[in-house]
Each structure stands twice: as structure tokens, then as C-alpha cells.
Amino acid sequence: MEEFPPAPDVAGTSLDGTAIFTITADENAALCKSTGVEPASDGTAHPIYYYIATQVAMGKTVAGVCETCEFDVDDGPMMGSSGVRFAEQLMVGQDYKVTGEILSLVRKKSRKLGVMDVLTYRLRLHPAEGGDAVLETDNVWVLPRKELAA
Amino acid sequence: MSAFAHVKTGYALPPFVIESVSPDAMRDWSVFLADPNPIHLDVEVVKAKGLGDKRINQGPINVAYMMNMLMTAFPGCRIETMDSRFLDNVYEGDRVVASGEVTAVEGNRISCDLKLDVDGRGTVNAGTATIVI
């Protein structure tokens, strides 16, 4: 029998965004340089924009997602994993929008971290004018529940 | 003949190296990510939180290093899928090496195992990817 209360029931919470995200040539160039490469000359953006665009243009901030999970962002959420499936390459100058949702929030006990909630959410990046997603990403965050530590 | 005819299962991808992780890049990424978390910007905050005595690289930058390794190994190709697990932090000044190995070649798709190592601390990120050539 678990000795701690269940995680908040947040599965299904919408993360649809209203903001438009555009990868500018200047920012793409700066980002590429910051990671040690030159920007592509064919108009494609660095693929790490899968993470940036979806995080920045989703319907909640990181702090807001944490708040939905009844977790204080100042308590230090940790990235667990990130996966992406690209249908198309990301393009500089293209306007994008985000849809998505929280998939699950599961409370666990870890030898290293104590009680923690494992948050999984899915985001999709679409052309702003509409149409199928150009990518889908699943991110997993670990939310340490210090207040539930033994 | 394909430019990647030499790529077979077991082929070791050329490593991609960052000699010293830059706190200036972390500052830039706090803007890119619209996330001014001070553990990436302020050593005193890192110390206060008991997380060490150096600024901590944003996780997505570490993924970008592995993507750079893939794009350098397969120029002109595209990443179709990629998964990565965050095993440990990367800190300012760390020397990091992204590397990989081909696990399967099926038609125009190449599957790879990936990892990111920090000198002296081992693997801090690991994952898989599929490349369309």
C-alpha cells in the first residue's frame, strides 16, 4: 500500500497554444553558432527547434505546467527524456503553432530522489496556416516532491 | 553509388566535440527558450540550491550537440526520429563529446545509438535516432 497521496489528476489537460512561433534567420544563426555549427544554407532550421518552438508556443509556460501539476517550479523540475518524430524539416521564416496535452502524471518513489511525480506531455507543431503536424514530441519531466519525503 | 555506402551496422559515427561549454551560450539559450531559470545564469543560485558551483547547461543544448553529430556524419540528410534520456547535468567549462554507432541500415533509413559524454564523468545523455538518407 502506498504511504503517500496520489498525484493530481491532470491527464488530458490541454497545452494548445495561441502564440505563433517563427524561426528567424538571425536567431537560427545565433543558435547554430552557440552549439558549434554553421546554419544550413537551404532554409532549414536547426532541428533542436522542435523543443524550443513547442516549449515557447505551447499554451502554458513551464511554470504554468508545473502549477497545473501542483508543483512549484522553484522546487526544480528535471528533464527526464525527450523524443521527437519529424514529418518534415523545420524551416526558417515559417510560422508555426502548437497543439498538445498532458498524457500522464504518475507518482513514484525513487531511492535517489524520494517521492517524485513523472510528468509526460505531448506537443505537436503545425504550420500556423493549418495542416498536419510537422513534428510530434513527447517530453518527460521529473518533479521531486520534497514535501512528501519521509 | 550512395555517399553512405560505407555505413554499415556497427559503423562508429565521427564524434562531435565541444571543448568547453560556454556560459555565454547558456545566456543566449535562456532567451531562445524564454526561460530565465537562474541555474543556467547565476553561479550563486546554483550554489544556494546545492547543485554544485558552476552554471548548468540547458538540457536541450545537450540534445543539439548530438543532433550536430548526426548532421555532420550525414550531411544533407534529415533526422526522422530521436529520443534522448537525461542522465546527468553538463556544466560550464565541461568538455563534451557526442558520439554514436549505427545499429541498423534498412533501405534509406539508418538507425543509431547516441550518447553524450563529459570528460571525467562519463555519459550524461543517451538515446537513439533514425536518419533518412
Side-chain angles (χ1 to χ4, degrees):
Chain A
M1 187 174 171
E2 295 179 344
E3 68 253 30
F4 40 80
D9 181 11
V10 297
T13 300
S14 174
L15 297 176
D16 290 357
T18 55
I20 301 298
F21 189 94
T22 308
I23 305 168
T24 69
D26 286 348
E27 187 185 284
N28 182 57
L31 179 142
C32 288
K33 184 179 177 186
S34 76
T35 67
V37 295
E38 292 297 318
S41 59
D42 61 0
T44 58
H46 196 291
I48 195 58
Y49 271 104
Y50 91 80
Y51 188 92
I52 296 170
T54 52
Q55 174 168 302
V56 172
M58 67 178 174
K60 293 180 184 288
T61 61
V62 170
V65 172
C66 289
E67 186 178 3
T68 295
C69 298
E70 301 175 14
F71 181 81
D72 186 341
V73 72
D74 289 335
D75 285 345
M78 297 180 288
M79 292 183 73
S81 66
S82 181
V84 61
R85 297 164 292 281
F86 290 98
E88 297 178 20
Q89 290 180 291
L90 299 177
M91 302 303 296
V92 169
Q94 168 70 47
D95 294 335
Y96 293 105
K97 64 181 180 182
V98 174
T99 62
E101 57 281 329
I102 292 175
L103 297 179
S104 63
L105 183 68
V106 178
R107 187 154 293 172
K108 296 181 176 179
K109 193 166 190 176
S110 134
R111 194 173 304 168
K112 182 177 176 184
L113 296 172
V115 182
M116 61 185 184
D117 289 346
V118 179
L119 167 68
T120 304
Y121 61 95
R122 176 170 292 166
L123 301 170
R124 294 168 292 274
L125 195 66
H126 305 259
E129 64 269 25
D132 293 339
V134 298
L135 68 84
E136 182 175 79
T137 176
D138 289 352
N139 293 314
V140 176
W141 287 75
V142 175
L143 313 178
R145 293 291 188 179
K146 296 173 186 171
E147 75 277 15
L148 296 177
Chain B
M1 185 176 177
S2 166
F4 304 109
H6 62 290
V7 176
K8 312 285 187 192
T9 299
Y11 175 76
L13 305 179
F16 179 87
V17 180
I18 297 290
E19 291 294 342
S20 179
V21 168
S22 163
D24 292 339
M26 297 182 207
R27 192 173 58 245
D28 292 343
W29 275 68
S30 70
V31 177
F32 302 151
L33 288 162
D35 180 10
N37 186 333
I39 66 170
H40 310 301
L41 304 170
D42 187 340
V43 172
E44 296 308 316
V45 172
V46 178
K47 290 178 181 175
K49 288 180 174 287
L51 298 173
D53 58 1
K54 296 178 181 175
R55 283 163 283 199
I56 300 171
N57 217 21
Q58 289 94 335
I61 309 183
N62 304 333
V63 178
Y65 297 151
M66 295 194 291
M67 288 176 151
N68 290 350
M69 185 273 295
L70 291 170
M71 294 188 293
T72 304
F74 302 107
C77 301
R78 71 178 181 88
I79 298 169
E80 184 175 56
T81 68
M82 183 167 171
D83 293 284
S84 56
R85 289 175 290 120
F86 299 87
L87 305 174
D88 203 350
N89 291 328
V90 172
Y91 298 92
E92 65 178 285
D94 278 348
R95 180 179 187 271
V96 297
V97 180
S99 61
E101 181 177 304
V102 172
T103 56
V105 180
E106 298 172 356
N108 65 337
R109 285 181 170 76
I110 297 174
S111 300
C112 310
D113 283 341
L114 314 170
K115 64 176 182 171
L116 185 72
D117 292 329
V118 171
D119 276 12
R121 288 197 291 118
T123 300
V124 294
N125 203 308
T128 63
T130 305
I131 309 298
V132 177
I133 59 175

